[in-house]
Amino acid sequence: MNLRQFEVFHAIMRTGSVTGAARLLNVTQPSVSTVLKHLEAQLRFRLFNRIGGRLQPTPEAQALLPDIDAVFSRLAAVERLTQDLAGGRLGTLSIAAAFPIANGYLAKAVATFLSGRPGLRVALQSLTSPQVVDRVASREVELGVVHEPVGSTEVETELLVRSSIAAVLPADHPLARAPCVKLAALAGQPIVTYLPQNIFRLYVDRALAEAGIAPPIVAQVTVSLTGIMLAQHGAGIALVEPLMLRSLAFPTLVARPLDPPVEFATVLVRPRGTPDSSTAARFVQHVRAVLREEGLLPPEH
């Protein structure tokens, strides 16, 4: 499928007719019909059935739609980017980070970095770690911040900070009385943690297995904040990355480190072979200063 065929297919799916697609694309109805006919011949299956004067998508068309939608979402993003470039609105520093990082200390770092720099513009994207790596590798952003591991050979990484999975639980829970929660004490406790697709789930499962316990996992989540919210509402003890607990107000919850600790690394990600701009280099220094203020890095000596 080429981009023109994508356009025709997408327009018909949006409008439900060849006539509507032609109007949307500002072309003639026969040209849309011709592209659709060639496309179905090329694919060797039908994309639409005509029912009651309208085109009804086949199951094959419905299966294609999410990926085609994703293509047009990215094209729309590129169009907005070119408009920003033409209008001089593009930020001089573009950053992408995993959700809890972007909405935690990185948001604070960006806000305080902008203070006193009225001419600076920053674009901050909150994404999954693989999406961040993809944006950096394609040079859509200058700097990424993600949790390890990073599998791409098209980027370079630099350690930013080491952190740990924690037990997030009500402050009045018996296990919250100690400064840390021993993994063995979680036996029989209802647990909220990540879905298997999340890299942190591997860390949690390994730690529980090494402790010789298999507590019931009552809920699985995509991001840490959802796990914290479930703990807030009494679903169970959340074994998650606790950064959002520091960034948002959860007065009834506490985070206790696990014993033994379940550690992971957070890294800066840059396009391979591309040095930082002077602004990016200053921003990285500022991020480290914010981490020291937050107690997530030891003070400089």
Side-chain angles (χ1 to χ4, degrees), residues 93-217:
L93 178 60
S94 56
I95 313 159
F99 176 84
I101 300 170
N103 294 281
Y105 59 77
L106 197 63
K108 178 180 178 180
V110 168
T112 52
F113 191 68
L114 285 170
S115 177
R117 293 180 172 89
L120 180 65
R121 298 293 180 268
V122 175
L124 175 59
Q125 300 182 44
S126 176
L127 305 166
T128 66
S129 287
Q131 287 172 328
V132 172
V133 173
D134 178 60
R135 297 293 196 275
V136 175
S138 62
R139 289 173 165 74
E140 292 180 48
V141 298
E142 185 174 358
L143 185 68
V145 190
V146 300
H147 304 303
E148 282 195 326
V150 175
S152 174
T153 59
E154 298 178 48
V155 299
E156 299 173 347
T157 62
E158 176 189 348
L159 178 64
L160 180 62
V161 63
R162 294 194 182 277
S163 307
S164 301
I165 300 292
V168 177
L169 67 172
D172 59 0
H173 194 287
L175 293 181
R177 295 171 188 162
C180 61
V181 172
K182 292 188 177 295
L183 280 167
L186 295 174
Q189 296 284 342
I191 297 299
V192 175
T193 193
Y194 300 98
L195 284 161
Q197 299 92 318
N198 190 300
I199 186 60
F200 286 149
R201 177 61 180 272
L202 175 64
Y203 299 156
V204 171
D205 285 352
R206 183 187 300 142
L208 295 177
E210 290 174 354
I213 60 171
I217 296 176

Side-chain angles (χ1 to χ4, degrees), residues 44-113:
R44 296 194 293 276
F45 56 77
R46 293 188 66 80
L47 291 169
F48 300 95
N49 294 314
R50 185 172 293 278
I51 301 174
R54 289 183 65 84
L55 294 181
Q56 296 294 327
T58 63
E60 290 81 4
Q62 296 287 8
L64 281 171
L65 183 59
D67 285 330
I68 301 296
D69 270 340
V71 168
F72 280 91
S73 277
R74 293 300 294 273
L75 286 173
V78 171
E79 183 177 0
R80 290 191 296 272
L81 175 62
T82 59
Q83 290 171 350
D84 279 348
L85 285 167
R89 297 184 297 272
L90 182 67
T92 56
L93 178 60
S94 56
I95 313 159
F99 176 84
I101 300 170
N103 294 281
Y105 59 77
L106 197 63
K108 178 180 178 180
V110 168
T112 52
F113 191 68

Side-chain angles (χ1 to χ4, degrees), residues 1-12 25 27 32 35-36 39 42 67-76 78-79:
M1 295 179 70
N2 58 43
L3 187 57
R4 186 56 176 167
Q5 292 169 332
F6 280 8
E7 286 182 318
V8 167
F9 171 78
H10 196 246
I12 295 173
L25 298 174
V27 297
V32 170
V35 172
L36 177 59
L39 175 57
Q42 179 180 326
D67 285 330
I68 301 296
D69 270 340
V71 168
F72 280 91
S73 277
R74 293 300 294 273
L75 286 173
V78 171
E79 183 177 0

